[in-house]
Amino acid sequence: MTTAREIMTEGAECIGAEETVLEAAKKMTQLGVGALPICGTDDKLKGMLTDRDIVVKVLGAGKDPAQVKAGEFAQGEAVTIGADDDADEILRTMTSHKVRRLPVIDGHRLVGMVAQADVARALPEPKVGDLLEALSTD
């Protein structure tokens, strides 16, 4: 069975919880990504910051992205997948939490990201179709 480690994109970079949303936006631009994991000073994953969060919750709310800290978007325990978890677990986790990106952890260390596109490339069409349907409905 395919594991998260086999289909993930390696080398995911965090934004520090104390870094600003402006710094996060610059990093997203530089990396060509739409989301960054938020890591605390203890190097543990605290949550995810998306480009949509920046637009809606910062810019749209009239806040200054140079003043808002990325850590303000860390909401409880982050939804993750273990590096050795299988494809069925990836699908279950994405579907039940309605997320399109999953940080992949090995122990407590971030080792990569599994995105909806990674799943689409790696798994059979029926499974991908079920995931797309689950993520597209409210």
Side-chain angles (χ1 to χ4, degrees):
M1 180 55 91
T2 305
T3 66
R5 189 183 308 276
E6 293 171 309
I7 67 171
M8 72 182 189
T9 300
E10 292 185 57
E13 290 191 34
C14 283
I15 190 71
E18 296 303 314
E19 292 182 77
T20 68
V21 170
L22 180 59
E23 291 167 313
K26 289 178 180 179
K27 193 173 217 179
M28 285 180 191
T29 300
Q30 174 192 5
L31 297 171
V33 297
L36 288 171
I38 302 167
C39 293
T41 53
D42 58 0
D43 211 26
K44 288 189 180 173
L45 192 62
K46 303 295 183 190
M48 290 288 290
L49 176 66
T50 67
D51 48 8
R52 188 173 195 288
D53 290 332
I54 294 171
V55 171
V56 174
K57 297 176 183 174
V58 179
L59 299 176
K63 297 178 182 176
D64 181 355
Q67 299 299 315
V68 177
K69 301 291 187 206
E72 292 179 34
F73 294 91
Q75 300 168 347
E77 195 168 319
V79 177
T80 62
I81 193 81
D84 297 317
D85 287 347
D86 66 26
D88 287 338
E89 184 63 23
I90 295 167
L91 291 170
R92 270 193 300 277
T93 303
M94 285 183 148
T95 302
S96 67
H97 293 279
K98 292 205 178 269
V99 294
R100 290 176 166 77
R101 301 170 191 94
L102 279 175
V104 180
I105 57 170
D106 191 352
H108 289 289
R109 194 172 60 86
L110 178 70
V111 294
M113 294 284 287
V114 172
Q116 183 176 323
D118 298 319
V119 172
R121 282 190 291 272
L123 301 182
E125 284 185 31
K127 289 187 180 230
V128 174
D130 292 344
L131 175 63
L132 293 175
E133 183 178 336
L135 294 178
S136 298
T137 60
D138 289 331

